[in-house]
Amino acid sequence: MRLLSTKPIGERKLKILFLHGLESKPGGSKVKHLESLGHEVLNPSLPKDSWSDSVKIASEMMLSEPDVVIGSSRGGALAMQVAHFTTNLILIAPAWEKYGVHPTVPYGTKVLHSFKDDVVPYLDSSKIMINNDGVKLIEIGDDHRMSDISALSALSDCLKEFIN
């Protein structure tokens, strides 16, 4: 996989909390991409066999006051579970329905999802738009992994909106 850039976006680096998916682990392609942009990425290991332990870890990581929380698939559901109403949130194919998380997100949340996703239905992300003002759903990417150039570029573009 080719990373898009090795320079930080703008002048300010962000502290990002990245919550990985069920079959992923810390240090994956999206995290490497974010680090290549010059951002500090907090990327805890989330146990796949315990939702409650994962929620606890994610909640504890929120105490570090990240500038942005990014959650991918199961990590997206976790991000929705622990987000505050002031959290800058980017969700990547969030599996909220599978984990029974209420689809309420902060104003300005960005959702990236591939229409070709065969793991988490695109329709799940479109449901987040209901009763949530200011949410932007971006249909992008080749598949559920969302590690292709177009998906990573869209992720970079979403981050630009959070840089002061």
Side-chain angles (χ1 to χ4, degrees):
M1 184 203 63
R2 184 174 66 98
L3 299 177
L4 297 179
S5 173
T6 57
K7 297 179 182 176
I9 303 170
E11 296 297 316
R12 183 170 172 256
K13 295 179 183 179
L14 297 171
K15 183 194 306 184
I16 298 169
L17 171 57
F18 187 91
L19 302 171
H20 65 78
L22 181 66
E23 299 299 330
S24 300
K25 58 186 177 187
S29 59
K30 290 180 276 300
V31 169
K32 284 183 172 67
H33 172 68
L34 296 168
E35 290 172 339
S36 79
L37 298 173
H39 301 298
E40 175 186 357
V41 183
L42 308 173
N43 187 210
S45 180
L46 303 167
K48 70 189 266 183
D49 59 344
S50 176
W51 173 257
S52 61
D53 286 348
S54 294
V55 169
K56 181 180 178 188
I57 291 167
S59 296
E60 289 170 357
M61 295 300 295
M62 290 295 290
L63 297 175
S64 69
E65 299 182 359
D67 297 307
V68 180
V69 177
I70 301 173
S72 182
S73 194
R74 180 178 184 258
L78 283 167
M80 292 170 73
Q81 180 80 31
V82 302
H84 307 150
F85 73 95
T86 59
T87 302
N88 293 319
L89 192 58
I90 299 173
L91 304 171
I92 302 170
W96 64 271
E97 197 152 341
K98 179 177 181 176
Y99 293 96
V101 175
H102 194 274
T104 301
V105 295
Y107 182 89
T109 294
K110 313 291 184 268
V111 182
L112 304 175
H113 206 139
S114 172
F115 195 75
K116 299 178 238 175
D117 191 329
D118 62 352
V119 177
V120 176
Y122 180 83
L123 181 60
D124 288 2
S125 286
S126 65
K127 289 178 186 176
I128 295 172
M129 307 287 290
I130 301 168
N131 298 322
N132 284 298
D133 291 333
V135 175
K136 184 175 183 182
L137 175 58
I138 302 163
E139 192 275 309
I140 195 86
D142 292 337
D143 55 27
H144 181 71
R145 290 187 39 81
M146 298 290 285
S147 60
D148 57 274
I149 295 296
S150 65
L152 294 176
S153 180
L155 179 57
S156 299
D157 289 345
C158 288
L159 285 174
K160 290 176 185 175
E161 295 183 36
F162 300 122
I163 295 176
N164 301 341

